[in-house]
Amino acid sequence: MGGAFLAAAVLARLGGRIGLPTIPLFILAGILLGPHTPGVVLLSDPHDLEMLSALGLVLLLFYLGLEFHMDDLKTGGRKMAVAGGTYLALNVGAGLGFGFALGWGTSEALVLAGVLGISSSAIVTKVLVDTGRLGNPETKPILGIIVVEDIFLALYLAALQPILSGADSLAAAVMDGGKAFGFLFLLALAARFGTKVVGRLMDTRDDELLVISFLGVAVFVAGVSEWFGVADAIGAFMVGLMLGSTASGDRIRTLVHPLRDAFGAIFFFAFGLSIDPGDLPVVLWPVLAAVALTLVMNVLAGLGAARVYGFGAGPAANISTTLLARGEFALILATMAAGAGLDERLSPFIAGYVLLLAVLGPLAAGQSGWLARILPGGGALATAGGPGPDVGGGSEKTEKTEKTEKTETAERSSANSVP
């Protein structure tokens, strides 16, 4: 385990020097030091890290729940729902069609729909910070789409769990699904109406007691969720949603952050251990086709979101490239698929797909100006020879609106000065 942490740290440091995100590097460390590659083998059996890997997944989704607020749905309103719905319809729909086109099976197609359809919240957040775009106007729809994706993911995993568990009949599948949605509904009610009670129970000035308390609740509810047919990670997400709105929410976010990073690294490393590089050539062409399809769908979704918010070509390119990366959610689905005994090609496919997009996503986001110049309305950027969409932080429409507002302000001032 010490070797796993050190290997992940060394590769992440090297990758950080050239601007690569940590997630694909952690996976790469697991591949290089696993039983399927020559050289040093840290672990011959990936199942040795199974519990630690599960804890990493639980903490990743728990932290995401802490960052999510019910108020986010109200402030974004209709535009957030339309932009997020458009993104999901294009990408999940394309993923489902792609899965059926591969002919690997219906369950496999449903898994691929989620893999190709959901962005990586961790990588998206890191890209926004690294590119200095947190203050840009297009960042609001980007985060809005992520919020909508998170809600969809919770429902999708709850619906997918009975299918992957191999229910014997339609009635059994409906019963399993009802049990899962019922428990998910109870968690949602607790998150909506039980915040004050939970907040009082969790309240303590002692950091040690607070860490033990929120870890105990998150892991316990995750285990109970799995027993009810809901993915353990979604149970942890709902606990994070509940605790994030309490008076201790800010302290919990601070205290859980290093735990999330440490055990999250083990989750990605353990996933890498299970990948046999010899299987990757078998799925090379499907992976490349899926990456190309995701690029096209993201551009279309970026244009749609920009149109909803009234943005130009620059912000549209930023939206398209920032949401491109796939990561932790694809790996959650890969873990579920492996546990359900689905097609063996799924794991290497998802690993190759995630690795490519986790690297290409941040690189494309840093060079989004090139995409902006070829999008509709981006001709002005090419003519001006500007560096890209970040100049001015908005669109041509925004600049014109500001000039109009200044003119109207001056006219009102002149009118008010007349006796």
Side-chain angles (χ1 to χ4, degrees), residues 46-69:
H47 293 291
D48 289 343
L49 289 180
E50 188 171 6
M51 183 57 71
L52 294 174
S53 173
L55 181 58
L57 180 58
V58 164
L59 290 174
L60 280 170
L61 269 292
F62 173 69
Y63 184 82
L64 191 63
L66 290 172
E67 292 292 328
F68 181 87
H69 296 284

Side-chain angles (χ1 to χ4, degrees), residues 294-346:
T294 304
L295 286 169
V296 173
M297 291 298 106
N298 263 53
V299 171
L300 293 176
L303 287 171
R307 185 177 181 84
V308 169
Y309 283 84
F311 293 146
N318 281 349
I319 295 171
S320 301
T321 54
T322 303
L323 292 167
L324 183 60
R326 302 295 188 260
E328 61 273 19
F329 297 142
L331 302 186
I332 293 171
L333 290 168
T335 304
M336 291 175 62
L342 299 187
D343 195 299
E344 294 180 354
R345 291 169 290 186
L346 266 180

Side-chain angles (χ1 to χ4, degrees), residues 170-189:
L170 179 61
V174 171
M175 184 174 293
D176 290 343
K179 185 173 68 172
F181 277 109
F183 182 71
L184 195 62
F185 181 69
L186 289 177
L187 289 179
L189 288 178

Side-chain angles (χ1 to χ4, degrees), residues 148-203:
V148 174
E149 282 186 325
D150 293 342
I151 297 172
F152 171 80
L153 180 74
L155 298 175
Y156 192 71
L157 288 181
L160 198 60
Q161 187 76 19
I163 298 174
L164 297 185
S165 63
D168 296 332
S169 63
L170 179 61
V174 171
M175 184 174 293
D176 290 343
K179 185 173 68 172
F181 277 109
F183 182 71
L184 195 62
F185 181 69
L186 289 177
L187 289 179
L189 288 178
R192 177 66 180 87
F193 299 107
T195 302
K196 291 183 179 180
V197 175
V198 174
R200 284 196 294 267
L201 293 174
M202 296 292 294
D203 188 32

Side-chain angles (χ1 to χ4, degrees), residues 67-348:
E67 292 292 328
F68 181 87
H69 296 284
M70 290 293 185
D71 293 338
D72 292 340
L73 294 177
K74 300 176 183 178
T75 57
R78 176 178 171 274
K79 289 183 177 180
M80 180 190 295
V82 172
T86 301
Y87 188 90
L88 286 172
L90 287 170
N91 285 275
V92 175
L96 184 62
F98 181 80
F100 281 121
L102 287 179
W104 291 354
T106 301
S107 297
E108 287 78 0
L110 291 171
V111 170
L112 288 173
V115 170
L116 271 66
I118 307 294
S119 304
S120 167
S121 298
I123 298 179
V124 167
T125 304
K126 185 174 177 59
V127 166
L128 289 173
V129 173
D130 291 348
T131 55
R133 294 175 183 165
L134 286 174
N136 282 19
E138 71 271 12
T139 296
K140 185 176 180 180
I142 290 173
L143 296 178
I145 290 172
I146 290 295
V147 168
V148 174
E149 282 186 325
D150 293 342
I151 297 172
F152 171 80
L153 180 74
L155 298 175
Y156 192 71
L157 288 181
L160 198 60
Q161 187 76 19
I163 298 174
L164 297 185
S165 63
D168 296 332
S169 63
L170 179 61
V174 171
M175 184 174 293
D176 290 343
K179 185 173 68 172
F181 277 109
F183 182 71
L184 195 62
F185 181 69
L186 289 177
L187 289 179
L189 288 178
R192 177 66 180 87
F193 299 107
T195 302
K196 291 183 179 180
V197 175
V198 174
R200 284 196 294 267
L201 293 174
M202 296 292 294
D203 188 32
T204 176
R205 295 182 180 180
D206 191 314
D207 285 349
E208 179 184 10
L209 291 179
L210 184 59
V211 169
I212 295 171
S213 299
F214 73 69
L215 273 180
V217 173
V219 176
F220 179 77
V221 173
V224 175
S225 298
E226 191 170 19
W227 188 74
F228 273 97
V230 177
D232 52 3
I234 297 304
F237 174 83
M238 299 302 293
V239 173
L241 187 67
M242 198 183 312
L243 297 184
S245 301
T246 64
S248 303
D250 290 336
R251 288 174 59 209
I252 294 175
R253 271 187 287 272
T254 301
L255 293 170
V256 78
H257 200 279
L259 295 171
R260 180 209 70 175
D261 289 344
F263 289 98
I266 291 296
F267 169 72
F268 295 121
F269 181 87
F271 182 78
L273 288 175
S274 65
I275 300 302
D276 185 352
D279 294 336
L280 294 178
V282 178
V283 294
L284 176 61
W285 292 113
V287 166
L288 294 178
V291 168
L293 179 63
T294 304
L295 286 169
V296 173
M297 291 298 106
N298 263 53
V299 171
L300 293 176
L303 287 171
R307 185 177 181 84
V308 169
Y309 283 84
F311 293 146
N318 281 349
I319 295 171
S320 301
T321 54
T322 303
L323 292 167
L324 183 60
R326 302 295 188 260
E328 61 273 19
F329 297 142
L331 302 186
I332 293 171
L333 290 168
T335 304
M336 291 175 62
L342 299 187
D343 195 299
E344 294 180 354
R345 291 169 290 186
L346 266 180
S347 288

Side-chain angles (χ1 to χ4, degrees), residues 386-411:
D390 290 334
V391 178
S395 63
E396 299 88 348
K397 180 178 178 180
T398 305
E399 186 177 350
K400 291 178 182 178
T401 303
E402 291 175 352
K403 290 180 179 178
T404 303
E405 290 175 352
K406 290 179 181 177
T407 303
E408 291 175 352
T409 303
E411 290 174 352

